[in-house]
Amino acid sequence: MVKVVFIHPDLGIGGAERFVVDAALALKSHGHDVQFITSHHDPSHCFQETKDGSLRVTAVGDWLPRHICGRLYAFWAYVRMIYAAVYLVWFSGLKPDVVLCDQVSACIPVLKWSKAKVLFYCHFPDLLLTQRKSFLKKMYRAPLDWLEEVTTGMADVILVNSKFTARTFSNTFKTLQGIEPAVLYPSINFKSFHVPFSDEDIKDLIPPTATTVFLSINRYERKKNLPLALEAMDWLKNKLNEKEWKHTHLIIAGGYDERVVENKQHYLELQALATRYNLTDHVTFIRSFSDSQKLALLKCSSCLIYTPSNEHFGLVPIEAMYAERPVIAVNSGGPLETISNNETGFLCNPDAESFANAMEKFVKDKSLSEKLGNAGRPHVMSKFSFDVFAQQLHTLVSDSSRPTRLWSVLVKFLLVVFVFSVVAALYVFPRK
């Protein structure tokens, strides 16, 4: 048995959160002792396993701000994770053999004070997830970007979620060219797809007249490109006759958190776009949902619409294919590695016309959903089996090799103090 602690920024609902929860369950299935340290955990907005006792969760530092006046999100994410790491190393009383950290690498220098082996799972380089249009933003991000690169390289093992992310990692972190991250495809706990659910879970969400239902599952974030689904529906209505269009419906089900301003804003933006395209009678918006609702939605849908471009991996298409539903996705990023074009779905250019052309096939041919859907589960089981995923993780955490020490812990500590002092100093000066 190996003692494993996962340290994660916000244990809410999302692809990254689903990954760490499934990773923890995978390690538990091999007899390891597993628990979480996180900066935020809300029992009303989290995965079931983190609130029903399946996984032990300790939340620390939630009193720290997430931002200041809508600014400094990345800075405070770093601070909150460092605080959680300080708690784990010096105050928790836990003596983990392995710490698995993901998303924020800034806490790794603190984790290196312990004797634990540190694994860092890079979903995607954080520095590529934001724009730097103003001089102040460039000045703000420069030390954070540098810190991300340096601290990522301090991990004993670096994992990425796809070959696409591995290439992006190498192209982004120039000083880490000698490090080749290992690809660990995320998986899903297939047992969760065999729990009972009822059509009552989605009562009134799907019009009784709808015979072709397209389903989008993604967080209400602009980078997920959800407007593409609405634009494709606008194209589709012009390709169908009146009867076909009458029985066609789109459901946009998204992860939604009241604390996140972008979630609120983007939800309203999508509603406004649906009104502008005169789609209000053909679109249903759902803000957050239970696992049983997700299963019911997948069961009642004809096809999943997956709109992000250059998505790092994408768990939702895996879930849909396991649920025997075909997927229409953008032909870039993770879907290139997960979807078999013309066999388990369609890979399209990221434009409304291309998506509408693929969607039209499901309206015209009602048997297509079942045909492509039936190919999905064997495809997922052959490449993304939970057992294979669990065995890979078991091997990684059971490796008895001692952690490497890149620098002395004192140098690492001084490094973190220096960088955050510089960042803080930048915001002492008044801004226009």
Side-chain angles (χ1 to χ4, degrees):
M1 183 187 72
V2 176
K3 291 184 177 180
V4 183
V5 172
F6 285 77
I7 182 167
H8 185 79
D10 185 336
L11 206 56
I13 296 176
E17 290 69 40
R18 188 67 255 176
F19 165 77
V20 293
V21 167
D22 286 336
L25 294 172
L27 291 175
K28 280 196 69 174
S29 72
H30 279 268
H32 300 298
D33 180 75
V34 180
Q35 59 184 291
F36 278 91
I37 301 292
T38 182
S39 296
H40 178 78
H41 181 244
D42 180 359
S44 67
H45 185 76
C46 66
F47 289 110
Q48 182 66 26
E49 298 91 341
T50 68
K51 65 180 178 181
D52 65 7
S54 299
L55 298 170
R56 289 172 290 167
V57 178
T58 302
V60 295
D62 205 9
W63 55 269
L64 289 164
R66 290 168 53 86
H67 60 87
I68 294 180
C69 299
R71 295 175 180 269
L72 304 177
Y73 279 97
F75 173 77
W76 284 110
Y78 283 27
V79 170
R80 287 163 69 94
M81 277 288 275
I82 290 173
Y83 184 91
V86 168
Y87 168 81
L88 170 61
V89 174
W90 286 295
F91 299 100
S92 68
L94 302 173
K95 302 294 181 183
D97 302 303
V98 174
V99 177
L100 199 156
C101 168
D102 75 315
Q103 288 194 319
V104 179
S105 63
C107 64
I108 292 177
V110 176
L111 298 174
K112 297 289 279 186
W113 279 78
S114 71
K115 295 181 180 179
K117 181 178 180 180
V118 179
L119 278 61
F120 180 68
Y121 194 85
C122 178
H123 299 276
F124 207 68
D126 181 64
L127 65 88
L128 298 179
L129 299 179
T130 186
Q131 296 181 336
R132 297 158 179 78
K133 294 181 179 179
S134 68
F135 174 76
L136 278 175
K137 185 63 175 289
K138 291 177 182 178
M139 291 292 290
Y140 161 60
R141 286 297 316 195
L144 296 179
D145 295 344
W146 175 78
L147 182 63
E148 179 188 6
E149 183 164 351
V150 171
T151 56
T152 295
M154 291 180 183
D156 299 304
V157 177
I158 299 174
L159 305 169
V160 292
N161 55 14
S162 65
K163 295 176 182 177
F164 169 71
T165 301
R167 291 192 298 270
T168 304
F169 180 98
S170 298
N171 293 333
T172 302
F173 297 132
K174 300 300 183 182
T175 64
L176 305 181
Q177 293 297 309
I179 299 176
E180 185 175 351
V183 175
L184 176 64
Y185 285 127
S187 183
I188 57 175
N189 185 6
F190 297 135
K191 291 181 181 178
S192 66
F193 277 71
H194 296 279
V195 298
F197 64 88
S198 168
D199 290 341
E200 289 293 316
D201 288 321
I202 54 172
K203 185 180 180 181
D204 301 327
L205 295 181
I206 301 177
T209 57
T211 57
T212 304
V213 178
F214 297 104
L215 172 65
S216 167
I217 299 178
N218 248 313
R219 290 191 301 276
Y220 282 100
E221 295 178 353
R222 296 182 182 94
K223 67 182 180 182
K224 298 302 183 180
N225 198 21
L226 296 174
L228 176 57
L230 295 173
E231 292 162 3
M233 281 290 283
D234 185 47
W235 271 82
L236 182 62
K237 72 179 180 183
N238 295 318
K239 300 168 71 68
L240 304 179
N241 60 45
E242 184 177 347
K243 182 179 179 181
E244 291 170 333
W245 176 243
K246 178 182 179 181
H247 298 294
T248 302
H249 201 78
L250 169 68
I251 297 176
I252 295 181
Y256 184 92
D257 190 334
E258 283 289 343
R259 299 172 304 133
V260 180
V261 174
E262 183 183 9
N263 288 173
K264 296 179 181 180
Q265 292 177 341
H266 199 43
Y267 173 73
L268 295 175
E269 290 167 357
L270 292 169
Q271 283 191 317
L273 189 61
T275 300
R276 187 170 56 152
Y277 287 146
N278 196 26
L279 297 173
T280 52
D281 292 337
H282 292 267
V283 179
T284 299
F285 292 96
I286 303 174
R287 290 178 291 181
S288 295
F289 43 85
S290 66
D291 288 342
S292 59
Q293 284 180 313
K294 179 170 70 174
L295 295 179
L297 286 169
L298 285 168
K299 175 189 175 183
C300 296
S301 66
S302 306
C303 177
L304 179 83
I305 306 296
Y306 197 67
T307 54
S309 292
N310 293 320
E311 182 72 351
H312 327 146
F313 179 75
L315 276 176
V316 176
I318 298 291
E319 293 177 330
M321 287 185 289
Y322 185 79
E324 299 183 330
R325 287 298 174 263
V327 183
I328 299 174
V330 175
N331 57 356
S332 65
L336 289 173
E337 299 173 48
T338 59
I339 299 167
S340 181
N341 192 33
N342 296 316
E343 294 181 8
T344 65
F346 299 105
L347 295 169
C348 305
N349 292 328
D351 61 79
E353 184 177 8
S354 297
F355 265 65
N357 288 338
M359 294 164 72
E360 183 184 14
K361 296 176 182 179
F362 292 96
V363 178
K364 302 290 187 182
D365 182 359
K366 301 300 183 184
S367 66
L368 185 61
S369 179
E370 182 178 0
K371 176 185 175 182
L372 300 185
N374 287 341
R377 183 171 293 185
H379 173 71
V380 168
M381 294 299 292
S382 67
K383 295 188 66 176
F384 309 104
S385 163
F386 187 75
D387 291 338
V388 172
F389 173 70
Q391 183 58 50
Q392 286 179 289
L393 273 174
H394 168 67
T395 301
L396 286 166
V397 303
S398 301
D399 185 356
S400 60
S401 60
R402 293 180 62 83
T404 57
R405 302 297 178 189
L406 300 182
W407 299 326
S408 71
V409 290
L410 178 60
V411 171
K412 295 165 192 169
F413 177 73
L414 293 175
L415 171 67
V416 173
V417 172
F418 169 74
V419 170
F420 274 85
S421 296
V422 171
V423 174
L426 289 173
Y427 276 80
V428 169
F429 301 102
R431 300 189 301 272
K432 294 182 179 180

